[in-house]
């Protein structure tokens, strides 16, 4: 793209700025569903991946029943082991 010295780029013109604002206004109302889905789905997927990872680690690596991951007594026992001396 050739331009003379001192001339502005086409993206700096008022017409380009007006078009950009119009696009932003158009998109504003359409993406609320996607935004809500991201807000809800990402923490939910993170939680389930954590639980599945704990079950695989406890069941496969630790050779224990995977259902014990969901038992509160397991975590109380780990807490007692970690902070027994303090």
């Amino acid at each position: 793209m050739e331009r003379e010295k001192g001339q502005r780029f086409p993206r700096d013109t008022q017409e380009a700025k007006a078009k950009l604002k119009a696009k932003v206004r158009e998109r504003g109302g359409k993406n609320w569903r996607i935004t809500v889905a991201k807000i809800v789905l990402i923490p939910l997927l993170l939680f389930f991946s954590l639980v599945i990872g704990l079950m695989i680690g406890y069941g496969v690596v630790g050779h224990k029943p995977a259902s014990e991951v969901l038992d509160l007594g397991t975590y109380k026992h780990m807490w007692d082991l970690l902070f027994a001396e303090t």
Side-chain angles (χ1 to χ4, degrees), residues 4-69:
E4 295 292 324
K5 189 173 185 179
Q7 288 182 343
R8 294 182 166 211
F9 284 107
R11 67 172 184 258
D12 293 338
T13 62
Q14 295 296 328
E15 293 174 5
K17 288 180 182 179
K19 287 180 184 179
L20 182 62
K21 285 182 182 179
K23 284 183 182 180
V24 169
R25 280 189 218 129
E26 282 180 15
R27 295 167 116 200
K30 293 181 181 179
N31 291 335
W32 69 270
R33 290 182 183 144
I34 295 171
T35 305
V36 170
K38 287 180 185 178
I39 290 171
V40 171
L41 279 178
I42 289 175
L44 197 64
L45 290 173
L46 287 172
F47 175 75
F48 282 122
S49 64
L50 175 70
V51 171
I52 290 170
L54 284 171
M55 292 178 98
I56 290 171
Y58 200 78
V60 176
V61 177
H63 302 292
K64 302 279 185 175
S67 61
E68 286 185 13
V69 169

Side-chain angles (χ1 to χ4, degrees), residues 72-85:
L72 186 61
T74 303
Y75 298 102
K76 286 183 181 178
H77 179 68
M78 285 185 211
W79 183 269
D80 292 339
L81 288 174
L82 286 172
F83 300 106
E85 297 292 323

